[in-house]
Structure formats: C-alpha cells, structure tokens
Amino acid sequence: MARYTLECVECGRSFSDDTLLKCPECGGLLEVSLDYDEIEVDRETLERRDLGVWTFRELLPVSTDDPVTMGEGGTGLHPCPRLAEELGVRSLYVKNEGENPTGSFKDRGMTVGVTKAVELGAEVVACASTGNTSASLAAYAARAGITCAVLLPAGKVALGKLAQALFHGARVVPVDGNFDDALAVVRRLAEEGLVYLLNSVNPFRLCGQRTIAYEICLQMDWSVPDAVVVPVGNAGNISAIWQGFLDLYELGLIDDLPRMYGVQAEGARPVVDAIRSGKEDIDPDPEPETVATAIRIGNPVNAVKALRAIRSSGGWAVSVTDDEILEAQRELATTEGIFVEPASAASIAGLRKLVDRGEIDEGEEVVCVTTGHGLKDPEIVMETCELPEPVEPDPERIKERLGLG
Ligand code: AN7
C-alpha cells in the first residue's frame, strides 16, 4: 500500500496522523503527498486490471484489502466528434462521471474516504452538500453499516439527490442557509469530535478523485490531452484531478501535463474572479445563485489549491450563464446521447467560451469532465421540455403526430 504523508498546503509541514483534517500548526488544508520512491506501478500492470478507482490501489492511502466499494470509476471516455465540430475543436472527449454507482464523481472519493473512516473506527460520517456528496456518502455509509448525517441547503437540492440521501437512510437536515453556511456547521461538529467529516477538506476522499486523471491517461494509452475542462464548485475536484496528473508525471507514467480549465456559473464565480484579477485567494460571494445547484457555492474551501492548479498548468477559468449551461446540457444530450446535470454541462458551455476566446486552439485535444447524471435533476429538464398532449392509440393519428407517412 502507498506510503504517504499529510502535507499542509499553506505552511508545507508534513504529518503522519491520519485523524487530522487540518494543519495542527497553521490550520491550513491537508493534502496527501505520495512518496513516489516507495510506489511500484507500471503501465502494463495497471492495464491488465479492470478499470476503476481500485485499479490504482498502490496510489490510494488506505491499508485494507477490503475497501467499501461498489465498483466506482471505470467511466467512459467518450469521443464526441459531432459536438467537437460544433464547438470548433479537433478532438473532444467527455469523461462521463454520471456512470458512477450513485451517478456522480463523488463515489470515487467516497469509496476511499469511507474506507478510511472505517479504518479509523468512525461511527458517524457527515457532510454538508449541494446534493451529490450527500447522495454518495449516504450510499457508502449504508454499505459500510455506519451512521450518516447530511446538512443540505433547504429548497436548493435537486430532487434525485435528495431522494437518494433520504432513501439510503441518512439523517438529513435541511438548513436555512446556503451550502457554505451548512459546511461551516458540519466542520464545527467534526472539530467537536462528533462526526467524521467527508467534505472535500478530507484529504483521503480527494485521493479517490485523482483517479479521474489516472483513468483518462490510461484510456488515452498514456498520452495526455492538451486541455481538461472541469466544473468548479467547492474546487476540490479540479485540484484533485490536477494532482492526479502530477502523480503520474512524477511516477514516469506520462510525459506531459494538460492545462486545467475551471468553469463556474455566472452567479457563483469567486474562482473565476480571482483568476481574472490575479489574486492569491478568492473573495467569497455571500449569495451565490445558479440553476446549476450543484455548484451554487460562494466560498469554495479548496479555492487556493484550484487557483494554483489552474495557474501552474497554464490554464484559465471562465463563467457561463444559466442559459448557456442549459443550452449546452441539451446540446450534449441531443448531439452525443449523453445526459448530464446542469453543473456538468457547465464544462461544455465553458469549452465553447474558451474556444471562442482563443484560450483553447481549434487543433487541440480536449477532455470535458461531466460530473453528474442528468437524471439527478429531472425538474429542471421538465421546465424546459413541453410534455405533449396524449392521443388515442390510433395509427393514423399517431403517424400524424410523429410527422411520418
Ligand atoms: C455535479 O455535492 O459540492 O468543485 O456538496 O455535484 O469539487 O466541489 C457538489 C459539487 C461539480 C463541483 N459537478 O465539484 C456537493 C458538491 C457536480 C457536483 C461539482 C459538484 P467541486
């Protein structure tokens, strides 16, 4: 199993106590730093295994051979030639994270994070969530036989996600406030030792999400795309994916690194503003608002890491309007058959903007990460679709309705 330490992203100090969720010296976020010299992996061994999160077990910071798993990862990297042509790039792939067990990329983190929670003897796991994190944690906690507590911004969680959290038996508390308010409370409960926290301040969870990068490289025969476009909310995923590419680079499994592009909604775009203005940190937005409720986040805890990832990779960040998000969602569904939730479609809408602005060149190869399944949020879809009136089961009437014959 992997040798690693927990390293503070602020002061750089290292620790070997797995129960830590922030730097005991300066309070900064902790990140798992792999000891590359101690890790033995090669391309052929990885290729021989079934593709998924645990394909990369040598790179995951747990010691058990019996993880809490449901076969997460191994999602498709789908070539999208029609959409590529429409957006004006040579080659576009969609890494479709909606294909995970609970329908979002969060499962990659939770299989590792809940395995670690069990290893540490946690009895209650908890998170604040815009929806997907709670759905995933509720499922993995059920599988592990432990208690799950979730705090949700009241009235702002998509129906499918709420149904999942409730149905898997989590203790669900809607909070009068937004995600950022709920996260502040659950961090407090974790500090009091009442719960084990599985938001993206948990460094072990984010190691699971690094496997998105590991899989992309393996699926592309160890070549690396020019650009990777990721929707950004709490900013854990884009940071984790970038670290995933760095891991493989350090291990000598890939020879290049991609540029990382973050996409936020116009009404919740602190990371975009910081990138544009060249600031070291974000100015939190106290009232984030967007139709893409998954990324309705005004104070992303991983912002500093995300800013570093975007800058050091030579990428950029853009915001997209709710209309652009919904149009991209429909476009991906109708041109390529891939149904994603609005937050995920932000990556496609963002790519269009990045190409139009010349940030991404038409000759380049791009991967858009679509983070959650379209069925998570059926209500938003039904708002934009008209439900046709029923007709009698009469062939003539139906032909007429279908515009056939
Ligand atoms: C579909 O579930 O924050 O930038 O609490 O569900 O790593 O936060 C969800 C985030 C993108 C943003 N796409 O990822 C939560 C939550 C979807 C998401 C994001 C989320 P981060």
Side-chain angles (χ1 to χ4, degrees), residues 56-79:
F56 305 95
R57 51 186 174 261
E58 287 87 351
L59 306 181
L60 299 174
V62 293
S63 50
T64 174
D65 289 327
D66 187 21
V68 183
T69 179
M70 296 191 262
E72 45 293 313
T75 59
L77 182 69
H78 305 289

Side-chain angles (χ1 to χ4, degrees), residues 274-281 306-315:
I275 286 288
R276 277 197 199 134
S277 61
K279 286 193 182 156
E280 286 291 306
D281 202 352
L307 293 173
R308 280 185 205 161
I310 291 167
R311 287 184 177 131
S312 62
S313 71

Side-chain angles (χ1 to χ4, degrees), residues 84-317:
E85 195 175 336
E86 214 152 291
L87 299 182
V89 285
R90 173 173 66 89
S91 168
L92 170 63
Y93 294 85
V94 164
K95 180 69 172 158
N96 189 23
E97 291 297 296
E99 295 164 30
N100 275 295
T102 78
S104 84
F105 72 97
K106 305 287 182 181
D107 297 339
R108 292 181 186 270
M110 289 309 172
T111 183
V112 178
V114 173
T115 297
K116 178 57 74 177
V118 171
E119 219 175 87
L120 294 173
E123 284 165 11
V124 187
V125 288
C127 68
S129 179
T130 58
N132 279 323
T133 301
S134 67
S136 184
L137 183 57
Y140 282 85
R143 197 153 176 85
I146 55 181
T147 303
C148 175
V150 307
L151 275 57
L152 305 175
K156 295 289 184 180
V157 171
L159 188 62
K161 305 172 190 181
L162 189 56
Q164 287 176 293
L166 291 168
F167 208 68
H168 285 300
R171 297 183 190 168
V172 175
V173 184
V175 174
D176 279 327
N178 60 33
F179 167 82
D180 306 291
D181 302 321
L183 182 59
V185 175
V186 80
R187 285 181 92 168
R188 169 88 183 266
L189 302 186
E191 272 168 25
E192 289 177 17
L194 297 172
V195 300
Y196 183 70
L197 187 61
L198 275 156
N199 279 103
S200 55
V201 295
N202 184 305
F204 302 105
R205 194 194 115 185
L206 288 182
C207 280
Q209 292 172 215
R210 293 183 193 181
T211 62
I212 293 177
Y214 303 162
E215 286 187 9
I216 290 172
C217 295
L218 193 155
Q219 286 170 306
M220 296 182 86
D221 259 339
W222 308 104
S223 76
V224 173
D226 296 298
V228 177
V229 187
V230 186
V232 171
N234 222 12
N237 208 30
I238 191 167
S239 316
I241 295 173
W242 172 240
Q243 188 57 50
F245 284 112
L246 289 176
D247 289 342
L248 295 199
Y249 188 80
E250 292 295 332
L251 288 164
L253 293 171
I254 56 172
D255 302 321
D256 282 306
L257 290 166
R259 306 194 307 278
M260 301 297 299
Y261 291 90
V263 186
Q264 292 194 296
E266 194 70 36
R269 45 153 226 262
V271 170
V272 174
D273 287 343
I275 286 288
R276 277 197 199 134
S277 61
K279 286 193 182 156
E280 286 291 306
D281 202 352
I282 54 152
D283 290 324
D285 177 349
E287 288 180 10
E289 203 47 83
T290 168
V291 69
T293 50
I295 52 173
R296 186 176 169 273
I297 295 174
N299 189 14
V301 287
N302 291 289
V304 171
K305 283 194 289 173
L307 293 173
R308 280 185 205 161
I310 291 167
R311 287 184 177 131
S312 62
S313 71
W316 194 244

